[in-house]
Amino acid sequence: MNDLRSIWFESDQLHFIDQTQIPFNTKIISTGSYERIAQAIERLEIRGAPLIGVAAAYAIFLGLRQTQADENQSFEYIYNRLLRTRPTAVNLLHALELMKKVYEKAADPALLLQELKAAAEKFHLDDINSCDNIAQNGLQIFNGKSNVLTHCNTGSFAASGGGTALNVIKNAFRNGLVGDVYVDETRPLLQGARLNAFELDNAGIPFKIITDSMAATVLSRGNIDFVITGADRIARNGDTANKIGTLGLAVLCKYYNIPFYIAAPETTIDRAISTGEDIIIEERSPKEMFNINDIKITLPDYKFFNPSFDISPGNLIKAIITDKKVYYFPYSF
Ligand code: MRU
């Protein structure tokens, strides 16, 4: 069902599109180094909760392969290096824990690398299938042709398959269920204006980009049927961490009585935490705010606050669409 691949694994190398260059250049980076993958995650060359998980699973295999070749780092070192890259999306932890189990269970050291590689490949395949299932389950929220608004990038750049929220939109479009699509630009790194726009354009889906501050005006006009976004971590009560700006949309939807939906793999639900208060919100460099493509838009000496995610309370979310089913509020995962 997918139209674009942002990551693949071939000849024991991870190949990925450098997302910082989209939509201007489609530059492919190929590496066999776990450290290079860790850096790619930190720089958002690889980003989006499910995609980070897939990249990290391969990075563990590659890291262990490097270690067996030149005996430099322990499993724990590689695991912790990757875990430190980004704290909010649970998919990273999930991938690392899964690989850790394979590492700890391996009975024959001669087979360890083979088993790690097979586990990463299975994790990758599961993610692709999960994207397809989210897209299918997402059809349930449509009540005829709908106008939608979305935030951040949640398509093929955010997962190894077709994505989550944007995949719901893409699949619904193929089924004749999508009218207008409004794309929040998603400051500061413009995942909407750059990545969603690129994907929608590629898929032949008409869309309009708005600045994040225009969402209130668009929603107030009464012709948006629903807002749908992805998630980086979902607590047991449905509180959802997602790209900064999502909370504003959830509150606006409540005010204007517009359904607000989340689409995410079942694995984004973190059953270890009861509410969003337990979610660590990543704070990123102020440079992302004062610099756009190396052009300063204000003085770097000013003070900045750059939280990368926010938390929408579960009671503002009408339903959470996963690869297994559509959960409706109230949530008790
Ligand atoms: O900082 P990013 O670009 O990695 O943030 C991504 C998001 O917040 C996405 O909405 C989320 O990961 C879901 S992706 C399917």
Side-chain angles (χ1 to χ4, degrees):
M1 226 194 257
N2 191 22
D3 38 9
L4 187 135
R5 246 184 353 164
S6 58
I7 211 165
W8 61 99
F9 195 76
E10 254 167 40
S11 312
D12 281 352
Q13 293 228 316
L14 188 70
H15 309 270
F16 58 90
I17 296 177
D18 175 356
Q19 299 193 29
T20 63
Q21 308 254 340
I22 299 289
F24 302 107
N25 295 307
T26 307
K27 179 179 160 199
I28 293 162
I29 295 175
S30 302
T31 183
S33 153
Y34 80 90
E35 174 56 31
R36 180 66 187 86
I37 297 171
Q39 288 169 10
I41 295 171
E42 284 167 345
R43 295 175 191 157
L44 271 65
E45 291 166 341
I46 294 173
R47 50 148 297 281
L51 196 69
I52 292 170
V54 171
Y58 283 120
I60 288 279
F61 159 67
L62 292 171
L64 261 284
R65 203 178 62 135
Q66 283 172 257
T67 292
Q68 288 200 353
D70 53 28
E71 286 180 33
N72 48 7
Q73 308 297 2
S74 66
F75 180 89
E76 285 68 31
Y77 182 90
I78 297 164
Y79 176 104
N80 287 322
R81 170 69 185 100
L82 290 160
L83 186 63
R84 272 199 319 272
T85 53
R86 300 198 71 191
T88 303
V90 74
N91 311 61
L92 172 65
L93 177 67
H94 189 73
L96 295 177
E97 279 298 299
L98 194 123
M99 296 302 280
K100 190 177 178 180
K101 277 198 190 106
V102 176
Y103 173 77
E104 284 170 349
K105 269 198 193 147
D108 181 353
L111 295 179
L112 174 64
L113 284 184
Q114 225 172 298
E115 287 173 17
L116 287 172
K117 185 174 169 182
E121 283 170 341
K122 160 113 176 38
F123 190 80
H124 185 178
L125 192 65
D126 287 349
D127 181 52
I128 295 173
N129 291 335
S130 141
C131 291
D132 288 347
N133 292 336
I134 291 169
Q136 266 322 106
N137 290 340
L139 294 178
Q140 291 174 42
I141 64 169
F142 285 79
N143 189 9
K145 200 165 186 163
S146 304
N147 300 329
V148 302
L149 186 149
T150 190
H151 190 70
C152 197
N153 169 260
T154 54
S156 306
F157 283 120
S160 57
T164 61
L166 195 65
N167 205 21
V168 169
I169 295 172
K170 289 188 284 189
N171 187 38
F173 180 82
R174 289 190 285 265
N175 284 273
L177 291 170
V178 175
D180 297 336
V181 179
Y182 283 87
V183 171
D184 270 6
E185 65 169 355
T186 317
R187 279 282 286 148
L189 293 180
L190 306 172
Q191 288 92 331
R194 297 185 304 104
L195 306 172
N196 269 359
F198 185 92
E199 280 197 45
L200 287 163
D201 192 34
N202 231 26
I205 303 175
F207 62 94
K208 283 183 186 147
I209 300 172
I210 55 171
T211 67
D212 301 344
S213 53
M214 292 169 190
T217 292
V218 173
L219 294 175
S220 73
R221 293 190 172 183
N223 72 334
I224 296 294
D225 295 288
F226 62 83
V227 172
I228 182 165
T229 76
D232 286 82
R233 199 181 287 240
I234 301 171
R236 283 206 305 276
N237 69 346
D239 289 356
T240 294
N242 192 48
K243 179 52 56 194
I244 192 77
T246 306
L247 171 61
L249 293 174
V251 172
L252 281 167
C253 282
K254 175 81 175 168
Y255 186 79
Y256 289 112
N257 203 18
I258 296 167
F260 175 69
Y261 296 109
I262 294 288
E266 192 77 18
T267 48
T268 299
I269 301 168
D270 185 353
R271 290 181 165 82
I273 57 169
S274 50
T275 75
E277 278 179 27
D278 297 325
I279 299 176
I280 298 169
I281 299 294
E282 175 185 12
E283 271 189 48
R284 294 185 60 85
S285 162
K287 198 170 175 207
E288 294 181 348
M289 294 173 69
F290 63 71
N291 234 14
I292 297 188
N293 286 348
D294 288 333
I295 295 173
K296 287 194 180 48
I297 55 164
T298 188
L299 295 179
D301 294 344
Y302 292 153
K303 293 224 177 319
F304 297 85
F305 174 50
N306 186 17
S308 197
F309 300 93
D310 56 28
I311 294 172
S312 301
N315 65 1
L316 297 185
I317 302 166
K318 177 162 180 184
I320 297 176
I321 302 145
T322 78
D323 43 312
K324 296 236 158 57
K325 61 182 276 194
V326 180
Y327 298 91
Y328 286 89
F329 178 79
Y331 309 104
S332 56
F333 294 115

